[in-house]
Amino acid sequence: MHRGVGLAAFDKEQLSQRFAELSSELSKTQVDNLQSQLTQFRTALSHFATTHRDSIRSDPAFRHAFQQMCSSIGVDPLAGPMKGGWWAEMLGMGDWQYELGVQIVDVCVSTRERNGGVIEMGELVRMVSKLRGVESGVITEEDVIRSIKTLQPLGAGYEVLDVGGGKKMVRSVVKELDADQAVILAEAQVEGGWIVEAILENRRGWTRERARAALENMLLRDGLCWLDSQDEHYGQVYWIPSAMRWDE
């Protein structure tokens, strides 16, 4: 009786060991297959990037298509073994990307006094393009977003903010925008850079106290807007430089 129980336990242990070995073999096979597929994929992507390098570097539409292709298959072109990722490794665009990053910093710092460290994305693209001496459309929002990612290790607070309605702002200071400030920025962009309490009350359903508190915080605490206290129509109008278009 005891011997039978012992043999059964021994057989069960052997069976468990065989299952473990089989599982290990299957896992190793799956890993090997995955590594092989990744190697083939990397080779194919590298070939495509090398073949079309000039088009990716010079044509914003082609560069956008390449970025979309990478995104659709879960590849971050900024990730990779080299500094600058695959943009640098495959396309030789590392220096170009970092140079663009330096110019983004230049624009953000030079405009910080008037906009409080928050600039509208389209305005940033326009000013960087002017700084580089290139036509409109050569530098895209995607190019700027990629370059801002390369600035993150600096810890200077550079970040792309979505303020709704398809609008983006770039923050270049280490401070958070709260939800009310994001709403104010979005509404100010609609008006060309200005905002009054009544707009927030009528469009957003805010109370006058909430609108006033949010605007005063942006004015006094954060320095993100200017106050015109002698407006003929509204009396008090808040002007937000980061939501205005500057033609300099």
Side-chain angles (χ1 to χ4, degrees), residues 90-199:
M90 295 182 180
L91 304 176
M93 290 182 67
D95 291 341
W96 183 90
Q97 200 75 64
Y98 284 111
E99 179 184 320
L100 181 61
V102 169
Q103 291 169 328
I104 288 170
V105 171
D106 188 358
V107 170
C108 288
V109 171
S110 66
T111 60
R112 190 175 292 165
E113 185 175 348
R114 75 183 184 206
N115 61 31
V118 181
I119 185 170
E120 193 267 330
M121 174 65 79
E123 179 70 4
L124 176 58
V125 171
R126 187 186 69 81
M127 294 187 69
V128 168
S129 297
K130 183 177 180 180
L131 189 62
R132 294 180 72 91
V134 297
E135 297 179 358
S136 175
V138 174
I139 303 298
T140 68
E141 284 192 9
E142 287 181 341
D143 296 330
V144 171
I145 290 171
R146 278 196 305 272
S147 287
I148 288 175
K149 286 184 178 180
T150 69
L151 298 174
Q152 288 179 347
L154 299 178
Y158 285 83
E159 183 181 1
V160 178
L161 307 171
D162 188 342
V163 296
K167 300 290 186 179
K168 293 183 177 65
M169 312 288 284
V170 175
R171 186 185 67 197
S172 61
V173 290
V174 186
K175 61 181 174 184
E176 296 290 335
L177 287 180
D178 60 38
D180 283 358
Q181 289 174 333
V183 169
I184 291 171
L185 285 172
E187 292 293 350
Q189 281 191 318
V190 173
E191 300 300 329
W194 62 272
I195 190 76
V196 293
E197 295 171 10
I199 289 178

